[in-house]
């Protein structure tokens, strides 16, 4: 193996082309081991820590913090033979190679500790091609060319637009300074001579000075998660025909059940939130209306129905909106869902969501209630057919058995892709979710 190895920026998730260097965890002269974290990068999906594929000594950091780098471009050089016994040539790591050691081993919970590939797919461009300098061939001596006298300067031709306008030299200078075309003016002086007043009247009004707001404004480049989210929302809003329906639900029985379960031994130490009940209702209701869990495949002209639920949860993070997924949420118990949601929220806030958990969702919940918001018209996550907004739970007057009493009430809003989900199917799904949240015992009948 060559003495010096250059580590190229890998493709940490399918289709990514670039990433920003957030933090270097090593510096030149540091000794590194296989699988040691050497750098943290931010992609369009999330922040990712990259491990070192070799053991050796860092010789050079090729990219500065804050710089955006294309996939495949070397970012660090490592001396893999500090003792000096290996040859000196420098080699880039294989873009699609994988490292040894802990990478690839199964972690607790069934996850695989792995980078999702090193670099783009075979054949994809990684670096801009540099143009080779032109090759100049040696030529035989050539006799000097005869000296040809330079041509005489061409005569000055009047500007187009008719005959030369009549104006005195000071007026011509004024017109030039003010940017006024004398050909466009009609002189008001004797014999049609253009005067100073003619030029001043033709002058366009000076633009008003811009307000001095520079000290009260900030400009932040749009990149990373924010740029990816913006593009995804535009693509979804102008591709999928959105329909949004609303439902107000009395969730008093759900909140009473939550209070009982929190005090039970089975749920001891579990953060049991109303979102967990909502998530359970969504995955149960999706069984009865599989259309909301399907995908419109425009490339093949097919609707793809999925017999699993990868539940997306919209999460606000310091880097922007992300939608990590709970894999196979339909196979989880209420306790398992609650634990998964708690872990998902923690890793999302810290920016540590694995790239594999950011893709291939089937349906999404956005919990706007945590901000005290009642409802909204959510935009469908690209590649899915429905998203549910879960609003704040409030004490509100409600009619029960003919009497107005205070109850725990919330609003639900379902946006769905009308190419896949008809009004009847969307309404049925929303009604099922509402029923399961207003009377959790109904879940026994599903």
């Amino acid at each position: 193996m060559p003495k010096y190895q250059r580590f190229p920026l890998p493709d940490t998730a399918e289709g990514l082309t670039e990433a920003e260097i957030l933090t270097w965890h090593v510096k030149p002269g540091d000794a590194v081991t296989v699988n040691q974290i050497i750098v943290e990068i931010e992609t369009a999906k999330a922040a990712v820590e990259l491990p070192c594929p070799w053991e050796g000594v860092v010789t050079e950091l090729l990219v500065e913090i804050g710089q955006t780098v294309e996939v495949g471009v070397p970012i660090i050089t490592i001396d893999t033979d500090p003792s000096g016994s290996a040859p000196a040539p420098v080699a880039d790591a294989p873009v699609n190679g994988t490292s040894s050691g802990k990478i690839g081993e199964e972690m607790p919970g069934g996850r695989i500790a792995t980078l999702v590939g090193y670099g783009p797919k075979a054949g994809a461009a990684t670096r801009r091609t540099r143009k080779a300098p032109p090759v100049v061939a040696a030529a035989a001596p050539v006799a000097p060319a005869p000296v040809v006298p330079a041509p005489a300067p061409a005569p000055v031709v009047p500007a187009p637009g008719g005959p030369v306008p009549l104006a005195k030299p000071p007026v011509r200078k004024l017109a030039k300074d003010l940017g006024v075309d004398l050909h466009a003016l009609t002189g008001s002086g004797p014999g049609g001579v253009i005067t100073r007043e003619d030029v001043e009247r033709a002058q366009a009004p000076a633009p008003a000075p811009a307000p001095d707001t520079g000290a009260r404004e900030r400009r932040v480049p749009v990149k990373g998660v924010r740029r990816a989210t913006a593009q995804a929302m535009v693509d979804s809003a102008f591709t999928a025909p959105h329909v949004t329906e609303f439902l107000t639900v009395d969730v008093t029985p759900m909140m009473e059940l939550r209070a009982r379960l929190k005090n039970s031994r089975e749920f001891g130490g579990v953060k049991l939130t109303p979102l967990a009940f909502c998530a359970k209702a969504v995955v149960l209701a999706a069984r009865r209306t599989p259309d909301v869990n399907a995908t419109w495949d425009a490339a093949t002209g097919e609707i793809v129905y999925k017999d699993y639920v990868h539940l997306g949860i919209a999460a606000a993070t310091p880097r922007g909106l992300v939608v990590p997924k709970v894999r196979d949420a339909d196979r989880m118990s209420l306790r398992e869902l609650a634990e998964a949601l708690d872990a998902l929220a923690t890793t999302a806030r810290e920016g540590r969501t694995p790239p594999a958990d950011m893709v291939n969702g089937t349906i999404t919940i956005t919990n706007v209630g945590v901000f005290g918001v009642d409802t909204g018209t959510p935009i469908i996550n690209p590649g899915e057919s429905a998203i549910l907004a879960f609003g704040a739970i409030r004490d509100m007057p409600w009619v029960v058995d003919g009497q107005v009493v205070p109850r725990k009430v919330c609003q639900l809003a379902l946006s769905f892709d009308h190419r896949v989900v008809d009004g009847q199917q969307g309404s049925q799904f929303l009604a099922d979710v509402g029923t399961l949240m207003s009377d959790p015992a109904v879940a026994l009948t599903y």
Side-chain angles (χ1 to χ4, degrees):
M1 182 171 68
K3 178 179 176 63
Y4 296 105
Q5 294 283 348
R6 287 194 294 251
F7 180 39
L9 179 71
D11 179 6
T12 59
E14 184 70 21
L16 293 179
T17 60
E18 63 182 18
E20 178 186 348
I21 304 298
L22 289 183
T23 305
W24 281 108
H25 295 294
V26 295
K27 62 183 182 299
D30 287 354
V32 292
T33 59
V34 174
N35 290 311
Q36 176 181 336
I37 299 301
I38 56 175
V39 65
E40 182 179 7
I41 65 173
E42 183 180 32
T43 70
K45 300 292 185 181
V48 181
E49 293 179 331
L50 299 183
C52 181
W54 310 290
E55 180 178 354
V57 174
V58 177
T59 59
E60 185 178 7
L61 303 182
L62 304 176
V63 182
E64 298 179 356
I65 292 175
Q67 185 175 348
T68 299
V69 188
E70 294 180 357
V71 168
V73 173
I75 60 175
I76 187 173
T77 303
I78 295 176
D79 182 355
T80 57
D81 185 31
S83 62
S85 60
V90 179
D92 290 345
V95 175
N96 291 312
T98 56
S99 58
S100 58
K102 298 179 182 178
I103 297 178
E105 296 182 0
E106 186 170 349
M107 299 171 61
R111 278 191 183 145
I112 301 299
T114 178
L115 285 175
V116 187
Y118 280 88
K121 297 179 181 178
T126 56
R127 300 190 219 178
R128 295 184 178 91
T129 303
R130 295 182 178 177
K131 295 183 179 179
V135 178
V136 181
V142 179
V147 178
V148 179
V156 178
V157 180
V164 178
L166 300 176
K168 295 180 180 180
V171 176
R172 292 183 183 279
K173 184 179 184 305
L174 175 64
K176 181 179 179 181
D177 294 341
L178 298 180
V180 175
D181 183 7
L182 292 177
H183 291 83
L185 302 185
T186 301
S188 62
V193 175
I194 298 174
T195 66
R196 173 181 292 272
E197 290 75 16
D198 296 332
V199 173
E200 292 175 344
R201 281 195 300 267
Q203 180 190 10
D212 183 15
T213 57
R216 293 177 290 162
E217 296 180 349
R218 290 186 303 119
R219 290 182 177 268
V220 179
V222 180
K223 56 185 178 180
V225 174
R226 174 62 60 191
R227 183 173 63 181
T229 300
Q231 186 59 52
M233 292 300 97
V234 170
D235 292 345
S236 176
F238 291 97
T239 301
H242 283 54
V243 174
T244 305
E245 294 185 339
F246 305 90
L247 180 66
T248 305
V249 182
D250 173 12
V251 295
T252 305
M254 182 190 82
M255 299 302 288
E256 292 173 347
L257 174 60
R258 174 178 176 247
R260 293 198 302 272
L261 292 178
K262 287 179 66 176
N263 295 324
S264 68
R265 182 175 59 185
E266 291 79 4
F267 283 83
V270 177
K271 187 176 181 180
L272 187 58
T273 63
L275 178 61
F277 287 88
C278 180
K280 188 64 176 177
V282 165
V283 298
L284 289 174
R287 294 179 183 175
R288 288 162 55 99
T289 311
D291 304 82
V292 300
N293 197 54
T295 298
W296 178 274
D297 191 337
T300 62
E302 298 172 329
I303 297 176
V304 183
Y305 292 90
K306 301 177 180 180
D307 297 327
Y308 56 89
V309 178
H310 290 344
L311 181 63
I313 304 295
T317 73
R319 292 186 175 92
L321 177 68
V322 297
V323 187
K325 321 298 187 227
V326 178
R327 301 287 171 184
D328 295 310
D330 54 320
R331 299 182 181 180
M332 294 183 176
S333 66
L334 180 62
R335 178 191 172 100
E336 291 171 334
L337 261 178
E339 292 174 334
L341 291 172
D342 186 33
L344 177 149
T346 300
T347 56
R349 284 193 300 267
E350 295 175 352
R352 306 296 180 188
T353 303
D357 286 355
M358 300 288 288
V359 296
N360 299 329
T362 60
I363 189 171
T364 294
I365 298 175
T366 175
N367 185 13
V368 298
V370 296
F371 304 107
V373 175
D374 292 322
T375 190
T377 54
I379 297 178
I380 302 167
N381 206 38
E384 301 175 10
S385 294
I387 180 172
L388 181 77
F390 178 29
I393 298 175
R394 305 184 185 279
D395 291 327
M396 297 182 66
W398 197 260
V399 178
V400 179
D401 297 330
Q403 301 293 321
V404 178
V405 295
R407 303 288 283 184
K408 301 289 185 182
V409 177
C410 78
Q411 294 188 48
L412 305 175
L414 177 72
S415 291
F416 54 88
D417 185 344
H418 217 329
R419 297 174 301 177
V420 181
V421 184
D422 295 333
Q424 180 270 332
Q425 297 158 340
S427 300
Q428 181 63 55
F429 173 78
L430 184 59
D432 286 344
V433 173
T435 298
L436 289 166
M437 294 178 67
S438 63
D439 187 1
V442 174
L444 296 174
T445 68
Y446 276 43

